[in-house]
Amino acid sequence: MLNAVDQALVGDLTGGPSPKQRRALAKIITLLESTRLDHRKRADDVLNTLLPKTGKSFRLGISGVPGVGKSTLIETLGLYLIEKGHRVAVLAIDPSSSLSGGSILGDKTRMERLSVLENAFIRPSPSSGTLGGVAEKTREALLVAEAAGFDVVIVETVGVGQSEITVAGMTDMFVLLQLPNAGDDLQAIKKGVMEIADLIVINKVDIDPDAAMRAQLFITSSLRLLGFQGNPDHASHPAEHWHPIVMRLSALQGNGVPELWEKIQQFEALQKANGEFDARRKKQSGSWMWDRIDAGLKNAFANNVAVQELLPSLSAAVNQGTIAPSVAARRLLETMGHEFF
């Protein structure tokens, strides 16, 4: 049951484009990101209330190493889409310092032209130690942006490593950005990331067109090899399934951005026609539930009184080498009244 404040926020959020809607969207995401127990309960009620209005956007994940031009591409693409009548929300994830825990949250500064438009919304959030290149509440924020009527929601990750691929598990399409001169060929084809990318974009083609062409040819041939080895059923590249492609563009100059959007639309149309679009979203919802269960169990373990009493002595014993880490872990888990591994 929503209180009066949250009812007003939901009303402003779903009332159409306006300054009130942007404030309501920001406030609801802040509520979702709060760690206070009473705020979490309020956020759950708000999210359930908004759920019927979600699911109508196209969710686009964009990742790549720092400096590849993610923010520039997102701004250029966002401006292009708004000119075509779309409303664009950007959920940008900034890395949190392992020392101070702070984040710069400078994406609004990097997307200065896009951030001032009424049909755009940019929300930088700290990763806060969450693995996978995204923030803990990115999925919830995505749903709220959809409920506000943004029909394209872009999730920008902190910068991809081979394990930072969670964004592919919450979006409809995963785009991986590459640089024309990013090291040797083996560095350009990180197998774990490449296998889940739906589209690979060679950015900054204006800097070195020849290097961009070579990178495109190499990655294209490598993707075909991955298709043969990774999924024998798709080795013949049947037309009813999408097969990752590689393209070149210059986000700074805007060259290739219309073609990028055309490829995204082709992907969406094909995925919806063969049923993989809905199947992907259903699978993501199930994975999201289990992710939250894992996080909840970890939180419950850390706050358990018996665990807190035993933890200092067992940690000291592990550090001194008098007890195996696996044995210490088992004893801590057993204090919660269950047997584990």
Side-chain angles (χ1 to χ4, degrees):
M1 189 71 175
L2 297 181
N3 60 34
V5 173
D6 294 338
Q7 284 180 349
L9 284 176
V10 169
D12 289 342
L13 183 80
T14 57
S18 68
K20 279 187 176 182
Q21 184 187 66
R22 292 162 66 91
R23 284 196 297 270
L25 180 51
K27 287 182 177 180
I28 291 175
I29 293 177
T30 299
L31 182 67
L32 289 167
E33 292 178 342
S34 174
T35 57
R36 281 177 46 175
L37 185 59
D38 59 328
H39 284 180
R40 290 195 173 192
K41 291 178 179 178
R42 285 175 54 198
D44 287 345
D45 291 338
V46 169
L47 203 59
N48 278 331
T49 301
L50 294 174
L51 202 58
K53 297 183 179 295
T54 65
K56 298 174 184 175
S57 77
F58 184 79
R59 307 166 182 174
L60 181 65
I62 295 182
S63 193
V65 297
V68 75
K70 296 188 294 294
S71 296
T72 304
L73 176 60
I74 290 170
E75 180 174 52
T76 306
L77 177 61
L79 293 170
Y80 174 77
L81 292 177
I82 288 173
E83 284 184 2
K84 293 177 69 68
H86 294 279
R87 300 187 68 214
V88 180
V90 180
L91 305 177
I93 317 303
D94 265 9
S96 296
S97 169
S98 59
L99 299 177
S100 68
S103 296
I104 297 175
L105 303 180
D107 290 275
K108 283 191 175 182
T109 303
R110 289 195 293 266
M111 304 180 201
E112 188 175 359
R113 291 180 297 158
L114 184 63
S115 64
V116 299
L117 298 182
E118 183 178 1
N119 286 321
F121 178 83
I122 301 174
R123 174 73 180 206
S125 297
S127 62
S128 300
T130 304
L131 297 178
V134 297
E136 184 180 9
K137 300 295 182 179
T138 300
R139 291 181 176 94
E140 287 92 332
L142 190 153
L143 293 181
V144 177
E146 286 183 341
F150 290 91
D151 60 325
V152 179
V153 181
I154 301 174
V155 181
E156 177 197 359
T157 71
V158 299
V160 74
Q162 283 193 267
S163 64
E164 293 184 28
I165 54 178
T166 306
V167 67
M170 65 176 67
T171 54
D172 301 316
M173 186 179 196
F174 178 50
V175 176
L176 178 64
L177 267 61
Q178 293 277 54
L179 290 166
N181 291 300
D184 58 41
D185 290 343
L186 289 177
Q187 283 297 107
I189 185 77
K190 298 290 190 181
K191 189 172 186 292
V193 179
M194 286 291 181
E195 283 182 327
I196 63 166
D198 300 303
L199 179 66
I200 294 92
V201 175
I202 311 296
N203 190 24
K204 302 189 179 183
V205 66
D206 51 295
I207 295 178
D208 192 339
D210 292 337
M213 174 67 78
R214 289 194 298 271
Q216 182 183 23
L217 293 174
F218 175 79
I219 296 175
T220 298
S221 62
S222 299
L223 286 174
R224 190 164 184 85
L225 281 174
L226 288 179
F228 279 112
Q229 296 175 354
N231 193 335
D233 294 335
H234 295 177
S236 60
H237 285 228
E240 65 271 17
H241 293 286
W242 175 266
H243 301 281
I245 60 174
V246 187
M247 63 177 296
R248 294 167 290 143
L249 58 76
S250 170
L252 184 63
Q253 297 179 345
N255 298 331
V257 171
E259 291 78 8
L260 170 63
W261 181 243
E262 182 180 348
K263 294 298 183 186
I264 292 171
Q265 289 182 303
Q266 290 174 3
F267 172 87
E268 181 181 11
L270 183 61
Q271 294 292 89
K272 287 183 175 179
N274 63 25
E276 292 183 9
F277 189 90
D278 290 336
R280 183 169 178 163
R281 284 201 172 183
K282 289 177 181 177
K283 182 179 179 181
Q284 289 172 351
S285 294
S287 297
W288 179 10
M289 181 188 72
W290 282 107
D291 285 347
R292 300 317 306 148
I293 289 174
D294 288 343
L297 288 173
K298 185 177 180 180
N299 185 63
F301 172 81
N303 291 297
N304 183 274
V305 175
V307 169
Q308 291 176 341
E309 291 177 353
L310 192 58
L311 184 59
S313 60
L314 283 178
S315 295
V318 168
N319 292 336
Q320 294 167 5
T322 58
I323 186 172
S326 59
V327 175
R330 188 178 302 111
R331 289 183 183 176
L332 286 167
L333 289 167
E334 287 172 352
T335 62
M336 299 185 70
H338 300 281
E339 292 185 1
F340 295 87
F341 54 92

